[in-house]
Amino acid sequence: MPTEVALLESRALRVEQMGRVDALDKVKCLVMLPDGIHLRTEDVARYFEVSTRAVRRLTDRHQSELAENGMRVLRGSELREFHSDMLSLWGGEGAGSYPQAATQLRLYTRRTVLNVAMLLRDSDVARCVRTYLLDAEQDLRAGYASLEHRVTRVEGHLAGVGTALQELGPVLNRMSHRLDSLDRRLEATHQVVGAMSVRLSGVSGDIDRLDGRMDALARNLKELNRRNQR
């Protein structure tokens, strides 16, 4: 896990943290210009509770890095247009409290302010932001470690299931053969029952014919008895 000193010294480590602009408002409310996007040097100094001179010295030393993260300097027509937009957004009586830079204006974004927080040594607020970033990363790493441990346990259980299935395979194979044999025996039994049913149908016909002959014989005997009585 990176330390606060490493974060102050390593640009690569700072780049890894640049998406965590939420850390700024977690530590202290960040007051933006009316457009909700930019801050001036005075606003950044007020946030970190340092002098504007300290902020300017830092931005001069790390100008290229901060420029990559949204810092820019407005001059001439671009500056006049920006002031006009801000005054329009400010509106009403509040417009009089918006100070206009005469020749140039250095602007910062939330991303730039986070970058400053990772560079500014002599500010308790900046230290709090760095601590928040490092603690959040530690929690994230712990979460990943816990998740990895859980995945390892699941993999271990799955390995046990795989072994059990391998051992169960021969048993299932034998059961399958026995079920096939039982199916064949049931089929043979069905065939025997079918044959017996056919034979019983024939016997039933023979019995019906025998009953008819017995009835005819009984009638003949009665007729013979009547003739003898005469």
Side-chain angles (χ1 to χ4, degrees):
M1 174 183 169
T3 63
E4 183 179 356
V5 174
L7 197 60
L8 286 164
E9 300 295 336
S10 172
R11 183 168 179 174
L13 290 178
R14 293 194 292 272
V15 169
E16 292 179 2
Q17 300 293 333
M18 286 314 304
R20 299 297 313 280
V21 293
D22 60 300
L24 298 171
D25 289 314
K26 296 291 184 180
V27 174
K28 182 181 177 182
C29 181
L30 186 63
V31 180
M32 315 292 292
L33 287 174
D35 63 355
I37 299 174
H38 297 101
L39 302 89
R40 301 160 302 175
T41 303
E42 300 93 315
D43 303 319
V44 176
R46 189 177 301 112
Y47 176 82
F48 288 113
E49 299 176 3
V50 296
S51 66
T52 55
R53 181 182 178 188
V55 175
R56 289 194 183 98
R57 285 202 307 267
L58 183 140
T59 54
D60 288 340
R61 287 197 306 270
H62 302 277
Q63 188 168 358
S64 62
E65 180 179 344
L66 294 170
E68 289 179 3
N69 289 302
M71 187 185 75
R72 59 194 181 113
V73 178
L74 303 183
R75 298 181 180 86
S77 60
E78 191 176 22
L79 175 60
R80 289 191 296 273
E81 183 179 354
F82 181 82
H83 282 322
S84 176
D85 292 340
M86 290 303 101
L87 289 171
S88 176
L89 290 171
W90 208 292
E93 297 179 357
S97 61
Y98 172 70
Q100 300 184 39
T103 58
Q104 67 176 32
L105 177 65
R106 185 168 293 179
L107 292 177
Y108 306 74
T109 63
R110 284 179 176 271
R111 191 178 176 92
T112 320
V113 177
L114 181 62
N115 200 162
V116 171
M118 290 186 282
L119 291 167
L120 190 59
R121 296 175 182 270
D122 300 326
S123 166
D124 290 337
V125 176
R127 275 192 289 270
C128 288
V129 173
R130 291 193 293 271
T131 300
Y132 181 87
L133 291 173
L134 296 173
D135 288 347
E137 182 171 345
Q138 184 177 13
D139 292 342
L140 184 61
R141 289 176 183 271
Y144 282 143
S146 175
L147 179 60
E148 184 177 0
H149 178 66
R150 292 168 62 186
V151 170
T152 301
R153 289 179 57 191
V154 170
E155 289 175 345
H157 291 317
L158 289 177
V161 171
T163 302
L165 289 176
Q166 289 176 353
E167 295 174 353
L168 190 59
V171 177
L172 293 175
N173 192 35
R174 290 194 296 271
M175 290 179 64
S176 177
H177 287 307
R178 293 179 65 182
L179 289 173
D180 289 342
S181 176
L182 182 59
D183 284 341
R184 290 192 294 270
R185 291 172 63 184
L186 286 174
E187 181 63 26
T189 302
H190 289 157
Q191 292 176 358
V192 171
V193 170
M196 290 178 64
S197 178
V198 172
R199 293 182 63 184
L200 287 173
S201 297
V203 170
S204 178
D206 292 341
I207 292 173
D208 290 341
R209 288 192 295 273
L210 182 58
D211 285 343
R213 293 176 67 182
M214 292 294 291
D215 290 341
L217 179 59
R219 287 193 298 273
N220 290 335
L221 288 174
K222 288 180 182 180
E223 182 64 26
L224 182 60
N225 286 335
R226 281 197 300 271
R227 289 177 181 177
N228 289 336
Q229 288 175 1
R230 292 176 183 172

